[in-house]
Amino acid sequence: MKRLFAAALLIATPALAQTPSPAPRAAAEAGTRPQTVEEACIFVAKSMLMARDLKVGVVQAFPELTPPGARLTYSTRMDAEEGDITDEIECQFDAGTSPTKVTRFCMDSTCYASDSEDHEDRRRFEEVQALMQRLK
């Protein structure tokens, strides 16, 4: 299942969508570092899905927890109705930095982290970390 998901990511074409608030979208499009855990988690999702934008549904952000994190629902379909936005991502970030150092994220029932046992999961995690470090 993990390999099928990874293969689907490689051949999927990015879908254009919209977010409910312009701030996360503007930061990601400008290539600037996310300022909130919400923006950072959206960046992680876009990076994993290789999508230019996502239609974001429900967002739960927890910057005050240790580790800080966020959960959100999303869709890559621009025409998705509110009830159809059911894909989920959960992100955790390093508490000692701005929300640009992801320490773990889960989507499609797979969790990605530096200590993932599966080599491909660990590689995807390292790729997302590298993309976040490239932001201005």
Side-chain angles (χ1 to χ4, degrees), residues 86-106:
T86 58
D87 291 322
E88 295 180 30
I89 183 168
E90 176 183 338
C91 305
Q92 293 179 357
F93 301 94
D94 183 16
T97 63
S98 63
T100 56
K101 186 170 183 191
V102 64
T103 58
R104 180 177 186 266
F105 62 94
C106 302

Side-chain angles (χ1 to χ4, degrees), residues 17-19 21-30 39 42 46 53:
Q18 58 192 18
T19 59
S21 87
R25 182 177 175 165
E29 288 176 358
E39 290 176 4
I42 291 169
K46 288 178 183 180
D53 213 349

Side-chain angles (χ1 to χ4, degrees), residues 8 11 18 46-47 53 65 77-78 81-82 95 97 103 119:
I11 61 173
Q18 58 192 18
K46 288 178 183 180
S47 298
D53 213 349
L65 296 182
R77 289 187 16 243
M78 186 164 94
E81 297 292 328
E82 191 68 30
T97 63
T103 58
H119 173 73

Side-chain angles (χ1 to χ4, degrees), residues 2-21:
K2 291 178 187 176
R3 291 187 194 339
L4 180 61
F5 178 70
L9 288 177
L10 293 174
I11 61 173
T13 56
L16 298 177
Q18 58 192 18
T19 59
S21 87

Side-chain angles (χ1 to χ4, degrees), residues 14-20 42 45-46 49 51-58 72-89 107:
L16 298 177
Q18 58 192 18
T19 59
I42 291 169
K46 288 178 183 180
L49 298 169
R52 293 178 194 261
D53 213 349
L54 298 174
K55 186 167 186 179
V56 177
V58 177
L72 56 95
T73 59
Y74 66 89
S75 176
T76 56
R77 289 187 16 243
M78 186 164 94
D79 61 348
E81 297 292 328
E82 191 68 30
D84 295 332
I85 304 174
T86 58
D87 291 322
E88 295 180 30
I89 183 168
M107 55 192 317

